Amino acid sequence: MRNLHQSFVDHMKIFHFYLILIFVLSSFDMTAQSRQGLEDKRKKTLQEIAETNRFLKETQQSQKESLEKLDILIVQEKQYNQLISDINAEIKYTDRQINESTLQIKKMGNEVEKLKSDYAEMIRQAYKNRGKYNKLVFVLSSKDFNEAYRRMKYFQQYSEFQKKQVEEINESQKQLNESVEELAAQKKEKEKLLAEQRKESKQLELIKNEQNKSIAGLKSKEKQLRKKVADKQKEAQKLQQEINRLVTAEIKKSKGNSKTLYDKLTPEERLVSNNFKDNKGRLPWPTERGFITKFFGVNQNPIYKELKISSEGIDITTVANADVRAIFDGEVTRVWRIKGENITILLQHGNYRTVYMNVVDVTVKQGDKVKSKETIGKIYTEKGAKTAVLHFEIWEELKKVNPEQWIIKK
C-alpha cells in the first residue's frame, strides 16, 4: 500500500511539473507574438526612411529646392529617432524575456532535481524493503486472474512511465535552454542593428549640416529672405482666412436653424457621416505617396526658429504632379479658385468636410459623387520641381480636426 501511495504522490508531482512546463511554453508563444509586433514596427519605420530617401534623391539637383530638402531632412531625422527607439524597445523586451525565461528554467530545473531525488528515495526504499518474491507474492495474492493481470501491467506501465517522464523532462529543459540561447542571439543582433542605426543617424546629421550650409548661403541675403518668408506666411494666412470664410458659410447655410448640421442630414447622409467617423484612424491618404511636412497646430519655421506658423490642416509633400484622391465616399460641394492661388476642392461626407488645396487639372465638378481613393485632380508643381505639396484639412461641423489622427498611419 505504501508503494501505491508513493506512486500517487509522484504522479501528482509530475502533473505539477507539466503545469509549469505548459505555462512556460505558452509564455514563449506570447513572447514571439509580441516580439513580432515590435519587429513589424521597426520594418515600417525603415520603409518610411526609404521613402524619404527617394524624395531626397529626387531633390538633389536644384539649389532652389534647398528649403524643401530641409523639410524632408527634418522629417527623416524624426524617423531615425523613432527607429532607434523601436530597436531599443526590442532590446529591452528581449532582455526582459531572457530574465523571465532563465528564472522559469531554474525553477523547472529544481523541480526535475526534486523529482529525481524522489525517484532515488523510492528506489532506496524499495531496495531496503525488497523481498525475493515481493512482486510475485503481490501478483499471486490476487483474487482472480484478471486482477493478477492488472497488477502485472501496473508494474510494467509504471516502470515505463517513470523512464518516459524523465526523458521528456530532460528534452523539455533542453528545448528551453535552446530558446534562451536564441533570445540571447536576438539581443545581440538588435544591439548590432542599434549600432548601425546610430551610425546612419550620424550620417543624417552630416547631411543636415550640408543643408544648413545651403540655408546659411540663403541667409546671407537676410533681408530678402526674411521678406520672402514673411510674405509667404501672409499669403498662407490670407488663403486660410478665405477658406475658413467659404467653408463656414457653406456649413451654416446647410445647417439652417438646426442646432447641428447632423440634425439636417437625410438617413443616407447620416449613414455616410457615421461611417466616416467609424473609420477614424483608417482613412486613406489624399495622396498615394508622401509624408507630412507641416503638422496641425503651431509649427516652427525651419530657418527662423522664432517664427511660428499656425496650420489648420497638414501639408503633405509628395512627388511632382501627384494625383489628389478623395479620402472617403462623398459629394463635391465646391470647386473654386481664390485669386492668385490654385484650386481648392471641398467634399462633403455627411456632417464632415474635407478640403484639398493647391490643386490643378481638376477632374470633378460641383454636385459630383465621388468614391474613396477616386482621383479628383493633381497637385500643382512648380516648373522644374521634383516635389509638390498638398494642403489638406478635415472639418467636423464647424470644428477643424487634426487630419493626422484620421488618416491611416503609414
Side-chain angles (χ1 to χ4, degrees):
M1 283 298 291
R2 186 183 183 283
N3 285 342
L4 289 173
H5 173 72
Q6 186 64 39
S7 172
F8 173 77
V9 172
D10 291 332
H11 276 71
M12 290 304 295
K13 288 179 179 177
I14 293 171
F15 175 72
H16 176 240
F17 170 82
Y18 270 90
L19 283 178
I20 296 173
L21 178 62
I22 291 169
F23 170 77
V24 173
L25 292 178
S26 63
S27 68
F28 266 88
D29 182 59
M30 290 185 289
T31 298
Q33 293 175 8
S34 301
R35 190 184 304 114
Q36 185 62 49
L38 290 170
E39 290 178 356
D40 289 345
K41 185 179 178 183
R42 175 168 54 85
K43 288 176 182 177
K44 187 176 180 182
T45 305
L46 282 169
Q47 290 173 354
E48 292 173 357
I49 290 173
E51 177 80 355
T52 52
N53 274 332
R54 284 194 291 271
F55 277 95
L56 279 174
K57 288 179 181 178
E58 291 170 355
T59 58
Q60 288 298 326
Q61 300 173 357
S62 173
Q63 175 65 27
K64 180 182 177 182
E65 295 171 335
S66 61
L67 294 179
E68 294 177 11
K69 285 185 276 192
L70 180 61
D71 283 339
I72 296 171
L73 284 167
I74 290 170
V75 171
Q76 195 171 62
E77 183 184 23
K78 292 179 181 177
Q79 291 172 342
Y80 269 83
N81 287 332
Q82 180 60 53
L83 181 60
I84 291 171
S85 176
D86 292 344
I87 297 172
N88 270 327
E90 288 187 70
I91 291 173
K92 289 179 181 179
Y93 188 88
T94 306
D95 280 338
R96 188 165 61 251
Q97 293 304 317
I98 288 173
N99 292 335
E100 291 177 1
S101 300
T102 301
L103 288 174
Q104 289 294 341
I105 288 171
K106 183 178 179 181
K107 186 174 182 180
M108 290 180 63
N110 292 337
E111 291 287 341
V112 171
E113 291 303 317
K114 181 68 168 61
L115 194 56
K116 288 179 179 179
S117 175
D118 290 342
Y119 286 158
E121 178 62 20
M122 277 182 59
I123 293 171
R124 191 182 71 81
Q125 289 294 333
Y127 181 81
K128 182 179 178 181
N129 300 311
R130 73 190 184 284
K132 193 171 183 180
Y133 300 107
N134 278 355
K135 289 185 180 179
L136 182 58
V137 171
F138 182 66
V139 173
L140 293 176
S141 64
S142 303
K143 295 179 181 179
D144 51 37
F145 177 79
N146 287 335
E147 184 176 331
Y149 177 77
R150 286 197 299 270
R151 290 185 179 186
M152 287 177 64
K153 290 296 291 182
Y154 168 78
F155 284 122
Q156 179 186 354
Q157 291 173 355
Y158 183 64
S159 177
E160 291 175 354
F161 177 77
Q162 285 182 321
K163 182 179 178 181
K164 183 179 178 182
Q165 298 311 313
V166 172
E167 288 175 352
E168 288 184 357
I169 289 167
N170 288 335
E171 179 61 26
S172 297
Q173 187 166 347
K174 179 184 175 183
Q175 291 176 2
L176 288 170
N177 286 332
E178 289 173 352
S179 297
V180 170
E181 291 175 2
E182 181 184 351
L183 283 171
Q186 288 176 346
K187 177 188 172 184
K188 188 175 180 180
E189 179 64 22
K190 294 298 181 282
E191 288 173 344
K192 180 182 176 182
L193 284 171
L194 178 57
E196 290 175 358
Q197 292 308 323
R198 281 176 176 162
K199 181 180 177 181
E200 292 188 37
S201 191
K202 288 180 182 178
Q203 181 63 30
L204 178 64
E205 287 299 320
L206 293 176
I207 296 172
K208 267 193 71 177
N209 289 337
E210 288 300 315
Q211 291 299 319
N212 287 335
K213 288 178 183 178
S214 297
I215 298 301
L218 290 171
K219 289 180 72 173
S220 63
K221 300 178 180 180
E222 180 78 15
K223 187 175 181 180
Q224 296 94 318
L225 183 60
R226 272 192 175 274
K227 185 177 185 305
K228 184 177 180 180
V229 171
D231 289 346
K232 191 173 182 180
Q233 191 167 344
K234 284 182 181 178
E235 289 174 8
Q237 289 174 347
K238 183 179 178 182
L239 178 60
Q240 187 66 60
Q241 288 172 359
E242 184 65 11
I243 295 294
N244 291 347
R245 184 184 69 80
L246 291 170
V247 176
T248 299
E250 179 175 307
I251 292 174
K252 285 183 176 180
K253 182 180 178 181
S254 299
K255 185 173 66 171
N257 295 325
S258 300
K259 188 176 181 180
T260 67
L261 177 59
Y262 188 83
D263 295 334
K264 290 278 291 184
L265 299 179
T266 65
E268 183 181 353
E269 289 172 334
R270 288 191 179 188
L271 181 61
V272 173
S273 182
N274 294 338
N275 287 339
F276 188 93
K277 184 176 182 179
D278 290 342
N279 279 280
K280 182 177 181 179
R282 299 192 299 271
L283 294 170
W285 281 48
T287 58
E288 187 175 355
R289 292 177 58 188
F291 47 89
I292 300 171
T293 47
K294 185 182 289 183
F295 296 86
F296 183 82
V298 177
N299 294 258
Q300 191 177 56
N301 186 282
I303 303 175
Y304 302 110
K305 305 299 183 183
E306 71 277 11
L307 294 180
K308 307 293 183 181
I309 304 171
S310 180
S311 177
E312 298 180 354
I314 59 174
D315 282 1
I316 299 174
T317 296
T318 184
V319 295
N321 303 307
D323 288 338
V324 181
R325 311 183 304 177
I327 69 164
F328 201 73
D329 297 354
E331 180 181 345
V332 181
T333 58
R334 186 180 283 268
V335 178
W336 78 99
R337 183 195 298 272
I338 296 173
K339 186 178 180 180
E341 300 294 339
N342 294 305
I343 298 171
T344 297
I345 301 174
L346 183 63
L347 302 184
Q348 179 182 357
H349 318 277
N351 66 329
Y352 290 88
R353 296 288 196 282
T354 52
V355 182
Y356 311 77
M357 298 167 58
N358 199 32
V359 185
V360 294
D361 298 336
V362 176
T363 58
V364 293
K365 63 182 184 301
Q366 186 173 344
D368 284 353
K369 302 287 186 180
V370 295
K371 292 292 184 181
S372 178
K373 295 186 179 182
E374 181 179 335
T375 298
I376 58 176
K378 290 185 178 295
I379 306 175
Y380 169 74
T381 305
E382 291 186 8
K383 186 177 180 180
K386 302 297 182 181
T387 60
V389 179
L390 174 73
H391 181 76
F392 175 68
E393 298 179 8
I394 298 179
W395 291 53
E396 182 181 3
E397 301 273 346
L398 292 170
K399 174 186 174 184
K400 278 158 281 190
V401 296
N402 186 355
E404 194 177 0
Q405 297 175 354
W406 287 77
I407 57 179
I408 193 167
K409 300 291 183 185
K410 282 196 173 183

